[in-house]
Amino acid sequence: MRRWGVAVGAVAGTALLPLLASGWAGARAERALAARIAGTTAAYIALVTPAASGSADYDLPHLLVEAGALARLPGWTSRLEVYRGTAPLVRATAGSLSAATMAALRQQSGVLWWNGAALAPLQDKGARDVVGAVAVAGRPGGEVWRRGALGGIAVPALILAIVLAFGATHPAARRPVIRAHGAVALLVGVAAYANVRAVARDNTDHWLEQTRLLVQEATARLPTTDVTQLATTIRPVARAGGEGADLRPGGDSAAVRVRRVRFAGEPEAVVAIRVGWGRWLALRTLPGETTTGGWLWLCLALAGLSPAVAALLGWVERSRARPRRLRETLTAWGFLAPAAAHLAVFSFAPILFALYLSVHRWSLGESAKPFVGLENFGRVLRDPLVWISLRNTVLFTVQVPITMAIALGLALLLRRHSLITRIARTAFFLPYVASVVAIALVWQWMYHADFGALNWALSALGLAPVDWLGNPRTALAAVMVVSIWTQVGYQMVVFLAGLQGIPDAYLDAARVDGANAWRRFWRVTFPLLKPVTLFVLVTGIIGSFQVFTTVYVLTGGGPLHATDVLAYRIYQSAWGLSQFGSASALSLLLFAILFWVTWTQFKLLGKRVEYA
Amino acid sequence: MASVTLRQLTKTFDSTGHPALRDVSLTVPDGEFLVVLGPSGCGKTTALRCIAGLEEPTAGEILIGDRVVTHDAPAARDVAMVFQNYALYPHLTVRQNIAFALEMRRLPAREILRRVAEASDRLGLGELLERRPAQLSSGQRQRVALGRAIVREPQVFLFDEPLSNLDAKLRTEMRAELLKLHRQLRATMIYVTHDQVEAMTMGQRIAVLHEGRLRQLGTPGDVYERPADEFVARFIGSPGMNILLGVADSGRGKRTGGAVLRCGSLTVPIALAYEGELHLGVRPEHVTVCGLGEGVGDAEVRVVEPLGSETLVHLDAGGQPVVARVPGLFEVPDGQRIGLRVDAKRLHFFDASGARVA
């Protein structure tokens, strides 16, 4: 009974996790909002406060007035303090900044978190020195919960989840209860994420509205009425808010409230600011909710934890009745663990990451990595270079049957055991175990237009030299030859193993039946080699579609994209053009192609041969 | 149909240097069923593969009919072979397996169809024609392998232990079936086996091979009744012939022109004037038990094996093992001493090298 209590506690406790995560996300968002407003406000003050004469520092009386005005601005909801040096200006009784904080602010020139408030540096007119700070206090903790979180079902769902946890962890739990528990736990996860999203959305709106006040105030203080000039002058205030924030002329009364629109394919939150009769500015920023995708997965993962714990406890409970089986299962998992962990880390995780990347605009240089849906796929499919590289890859794959034919021929020649065949086998296998880069370098010399061995041989025969790797007509074939030379030894070894697996009796029977060597091969050996042939073909085509190193070292995809293959294009998209999203989309397309090709091959050739 | 003649056939494998066949000469007349019998490693399969053309002899000649085929390819010899593991092509159906050799000979399609139908009718393979070997039982595979051989209508059939993979009951059935086939086809058949029951029941003549040499060639009766040497004597029969090592003394038996052979605790009077070391061979069924001192000597019972219709009594005659086959059930405690009699007309004598003396 006590054990059951612990189990219920564990399951119910884990059911809380998504909400805790959601609260944590909310708190983070609040702090980010405070930091954002502090940055924007600092930029505003820097814009509207005139400098003291003969100095880049602000005129103190003006600064006092602006700070006070801002704190009492109608609609301004943020708790604000402006420091000049370390001294507070809005509420003179408030504590001063410590010298250390000031120094940190100077060094960092970013937003600090201090005493429950975001502290943004206030730079002088010339933006050379930090002369003060703007502090914006975070809102109280309750703000991290939104009543809108999925119609307020988070709490009932949570209560239900906890109640169901009792049922699901009970030793005699029935399947429907367990299922209901899982569903409700999932609902809690969705609700938790909905809250994260709502907070992010609200915060974006809040920043837009607060900044609108600042822009309006700034407009009132500026002499000009020209919209374009206004936008240009006030833009730094908006931009201080980061996250793609910008101020442009335009807009109308329809956009007085914050709206979500798409601009050039990207989502935007925009609000219109009236700066005079019929004159509008549009304040835009990246909607906070579009970058909460990661939280969705986290919330769902945490939500899944509770049913997982319940299932695990149930399993342990059931296995306890059969300890031998439990031990065996644990041992089995223990043996599987290293391989499973390796697969998870080096195969599944990268594939999932590629999936994620393929639907985002993702670049090393840019901080904004918005979700773009299938745009990357569209871009990849419209890119003529992708089609060229696909064509080249397919052409390159012609080397697979050629290699296989040579390898099978060699295997048949070298199947007898003798010293010579053993030496020959080793010689053919060597290129496969040698470094591809070294091989490529040797072949580069062989192919060299002026000093290459190949052209030397040609000139000895009285033929004109060919720039093998420099000529778009020969480059791909030249790379294919290198690939064949590298692969043939490996395939030969596989075929040799396959040949050894065919009992001699079949060939003896065929000889007695009157089949000559040619017919023995085509009627007996080759059909019996089918599984091996299929294996070599499938792995060969997969390898051929993934060829990269040879191309990279020999030709770098050139000349004129003549050897530009898919894997090289993926590499170029990612590291050359910094389009990781497109590169991932292309990788997934390559995966889809290979999957289809392999599946077709198995369908066409796949019936396994059984030896009688 | 044709006879098969081997002339001083010798085969040495490069890897061992040890000859697998030494000077084997024999003739299989047209239409005979010859069984080549020997323990494993005696060279019987090598001989068969030489006849088939799968191995090239190191020396000697092979004739099929009047034609010397020693160095001909298997295809040119017109022989069919049934392998121990049947060697049915796993990727082909039964029909394709049977038709394979005919296709290789580029027979017209109608002829192939007719012959496959005939062979499958003969062996009752009709329903199996579209199956693959993996879907057949071992008995069915055996039939398909036979079908593949008879469809060729070859001059000579070669069988390489074809029944060794079958269970006992099926083996008995197939033996009868093979003999029936031989009667119907009247073909020359050479059948290799290590199983003397198969040899005795099937062979018109038996060739016993040991260590690459032909030890004896004769009818089953010959081989059983007049083994050419000690090896054949021991190898044929179950259990094999008793061989007792002894010394013959003709001094006391001069009057009758015979001698007395002392072997272990037995003293056997023999109708053979011989002096010196002599091996006495006597089949278990020609040894009978009697009261102590009533026979040629006494022996101690070691093990009794009751088989129902008869009883095998393993005895120790002064350090030499003797087996007696006694009709019916015979109960005697282990360690008991009893007297032995031998059938004087059914004795075999071998000299010290194992060769038959008389």
Side-chain angles (χ1 to χ4, degrees), chain B residues 68 77 104 107 321 347:
Chain B
V68 177
R77 300 188 181 201
M104 290 301 121
L107 258 58
L347 298 182

Side-chain angles (χ1 to χ4, degrees), chain A residues 506 508 510 513 519 523 610, chain B residues 49 88-91 103-104:
Chain A
Y506 296 135
D508 285 344
D513 278 347
R519 295 175 129 204
R523 294 293 301 269
E610 291 141 58
Chain B
R49 289 173 64 85
L88 301 178
Y89 308 119
H91 56 292
E103 283 171 22
M104 290 301 121

